[in-house]
Each structure stands twice: as C-alpha cells, then as structure tokens.
Amino acid sequence: MRRGCARRVWSGFLGLAATGLAAQTLALPASDPTGIARGGAGVAFGRSLEAASLNPALLPTLEGRFAFYLAGGLELQDVQVTLQSNQRTLFGADRNRALPAFGAALKVSDRLSLGLKADMPFSRHVRLPLESTARFFGDRVELSAHRLELQAGIKVTERFSIGVGGGLARVSYTAGTTLRVQVPVDPAQPISASNPSQGLAEFGVLESGDKLAPSFSAGFRFAVNPRWTFGGAFQGPLRVEQNWKARLDDRPLVTLANDGYGTPPPQATASAAVLAGRVTPRPGTGEVLLPWRASLGLRQRVNQLLTWELDVRYTGSDQLKVPAQASLGTPSGTVYAPELAGRRKGSAGLSLMAEFSFGKNWTVRTAGTLDQPWVEENAISPMLSGGRTAGFSAGFGYRALGGEFLMGYQFRQTQDADSAYLDGAWSRTGFRTTGATTRYENMGHLVSVGFKKSF
C-alpha cells in the first residue's frame, strides 16, 4: 500500500509539472551534485552530508567522525525574445557561471555535530542584444550570492534533533539599461526654443556593487519510525544596503532622428559626441534583498532499493528587492528608465525525488520540481523573470577509492510567455510602449561533479 501511494504521488506530480512550465526562478535548488540531482529536496534526508547543507539538524545523523565533499560545475541560462509583428528572434548572451560547492562535518560527540558549507543559493545573469526593443526596461543583469556558513546540529533525543547555521554571503549585483537623450544644437546648454533638439543619442548605463551580508539558517528533524522521517528548514533573507556605482558602458555612441528611428542631421552626431562628455551616470537608489525560504519534507525509506522524499516550500518573493535602474544627468535634466509595474508575491513550490541503491557501489537519483510564479503577468521580464518554474533532475554516485564520485544535472524547462508591455519606442517626446506582443522564453541547466569521503 505504501509503494502504491508513492507511485501515485510521483505520477501526480509529473502530470502537474507537465501542465505548468514557465520562466526560471532566481534561487538555485542546490550547488552540489547530489542536491542538484535531488532537485533541492532533502530537508528530511538523514545520513546525507549534502542534505545537511539544507538542514543543519541532519548533522547528528551522519555516520563516521568526519566527512567532506568538494564539487564544481556550471550554471547556464539563456533567454530569447521574439517580436511577434516580424517574427524576429533575438538570443541573449552571458550564459554561464562557475558553480562551486563545499561541505564538511565533524562529530564532536554523540549529541553535537558541526558543519561547514559553501554554496551559491542565488544566481541570475542575462544580457540582451542591443537590437531588442525590450532593452529600455533593462538590457543586462548579473545577480549572485556566494555563501559560507558554519553549522551546528544537536541531537535532543534519539528521534529528534535541531540545528542552526550562521555566516556571510557575498551579494553581487550589476544592472544595465538603455537610455536616450535629446541632443540640442548647443550640447552644453539646456534644450529650449532657441536651442532645439537635433536628434537623439542612445547611451548604455551600468550600476554595480557587491557587499557581504549576514546569513543564517535553522532546522529540525523528527524520525517518526525507522522508515519515515519528517523535517523542516528555514533559510534567512540576504540584505545588502550600500552606495551603488554607475558608469557608461562601452557600446558605440548611436544617434537617431527625433522620431527615434531615422537618421539625424550630420551636425547632430558631432553634438552628441560633445554631449557624451557632459552626461553624468547616476545609480538607482535602493537595496538588494534576496528572499527567505521555508521548507518541510517527508521522507520514506521504502526498502533497501528505494528512498523517496517530498519537500514543499514557501519563498517570500514579495520581499525581493533590487535598486531602481540607473539614470543619466544631462544639461537639460535627468533622464530615467521606464519600469515594469507589477505586484510581487510569495510563491509556493515542491520537489519530489527518488533515490535508488544498486548493490554496494551505485546510487541513482532523479527528481522533479515546480514553483509558482512570483510576479503578476505584466511584470514578467527577461531581467528577473518571475514566472512559473519547473525542473527535471538526474544524477548518480559511484563508490570508489574510499569515497564516492558524484554527478548531478538539472534541466529547467520553460514555456513561452507573451507580453504586451516589453516592446517600446523612444522618441523626443519620451518612451512609450507600442502594445505589440513580445514572446519571452527562458531555459537553464545546472551540472556539477564532485567527490565525497567519510572517515
């Protein structure tokens, strides 16, 4: 009966995931091969060093006095935008990042265990081609968090344990946008009736910064019986408040006619070159706040072959914050970037994984994940995305040389999202949306290999 229940849960999840695939989330399920192969599930998975990185309460369940794993891989993302009116598809760049991970645990006594983890809980990086009309809402983003935490797990009773973790995370943020500025006859003076605009100059402005943020986590584990385990974990938010820096990017200066499309008079190009030396990039105000996450997991060891776990989670995405886009000071005033308006909301998700043990040497893992959207439809953008997310994972472990070689892979499937808000035009009267439909697609991959050993 229990096996039939597990099969029904698994089949139901796959059916749900197949109906609701969309754009990627900012959070990574894990950074290590085992966590990636499990799709981020594992807050109740005892006797697993990788699961202990999700829930420090699992540290007392580890066998042996000392254990560690070391892993490295790639996190890849890609976007494409298609303007439906001409069916031209443009692909993003800046597609991959290194994905390091490390974990270690030391059993101090029968009741106290210590742990150390280094991972990458958040990553988002997109660079749109300059031909995209969505670039006025942002043409580049690089957002990442590299975290290092010291953990402690305490066995309260033989069946119940708690754990806490604390450390630091380096949060890095870079955002770019495209702005257009009117070019008057005399670029050193404000635009007026006697100093009219000859055309437009297009500039790229970047804002960036990175800073350390405090990080903390906590969790619990309760063994219902030898086959069933219930666990929960909480990952605190990461907040960075600092003075951002802004600069012009290295794109060539582009000049256009006042309608935003044609060729300006020849003297406008010369005036735009002078104006470029008189503009002042100004960073947007605000903080980076990466959201908290709470998870509950139920794990069953069906037999010596199969163990499965279902995790449900809630992410406080309504609290996600990034600074406003950079602006540009000119002799005629400050030029601001347009922004997509839309309410952010918290989102629920789930991960279902299965782990198969074949003999003494091989372990095979597979998982599926599904997360709700965390922004309204009119606020989904190529920069931070925010739509419904689904992922499919697989991996294995092979015991050799006194340890275990690990591999994990996840494919994050996407579904087309159509928006009437991303296509824009910018003339001398300012920016406006055209109402033309833009199709936005986004997919990603995680791959990692590593080695684990216990003493």
Side-chain angles (χ1 to χ4, degrees), residues 59 203 250 310 356 388 394 414 417:
L59 288 170
F203 296 92
D250 55 0
L310 174 66
F356 303 88
R388 190 176 291 111
T414 66

Side-chain angles (χ1 to χ4, degrees), residues 426-437:
W426 197 321
S427 67
R428 64 170 297 180
T429 59
F431 174 84
R432 72 181 190 279
T433 56
T434 66
T437 300

Side-chain angles (χ1 to χ4, degrees), residues 345-357:
K345 55 186 178 180
S347 61
L350 59 87
S351 297
L352 179 62
M353 59 81 61
E355 187 164 293
F356 303 88
S357 298

Side-chain angles (χ1 to χ4, degrees), residues 28-31 53-54 100-102 116-122 144-151 166-171 213-217 234-238 291:
L28 302 184
S31 301
S53 69
L54 301 174
F102 171 78
L116 181 68
K117 71 171 182 180
D119 64 353
M120 190 174 176
F122 295 96
S144 65
H146 292 81
R147 179 174 57 188
L148 179 66
E149 274 193 7
L150 180 65
Q151 302 171 301
L168 294 172
R170 177 168 288 279
V171 179
S215 170
F216 69 95
S217 59
F234 178 80
Q235 172 186 293
L238 301 177

Side-chain angles (χ1 to χ4, degrees), residues 22-30 39 75-77 121-126 143 290-293 313 315-317 320 347-349 369-374 383-391 410 412-414 440 442-444 446:
Q24 283 178 261
T25 179
L26 293 173
L28 302 184
E75 185 268 324
L76 302 98
Q77 298 181 19
F122 295 96
S123 180
R124 180 70 179 168
H125 45 91
V126 174
L143 175 60
L290 300 177
W292 55 268
R293 173 184 288 187
R313 58 185 170 271
T315 304
S317 300
L320 172 69
S347 61
T369 65
L370 182 66
D371 288 278
Q372 292 178 328
W374 50 266
M383 293 297 101
L384 294 180
S385 185
R388 190 176 291 111
T389 304
Q410 183 184 70
R412 290 184 274 180
Q413 179 67 49
T414 66
Y440 161 58
N442 186 202
M443 67 177 61
L446 293 174

Side-chain angles (χ1 to χ4, degrees), residues 22 32 37 69 77 104 137 173 186 194 256 271 309 356 408 418:
D32 63 272
Y69 68 82
Q77 298 181 19
F137 290 105
Y173 178 73
D186 183 356
S194 59
L256 307 100
S271 297
E309 178 168 334
F356 303 88
D418 293 332

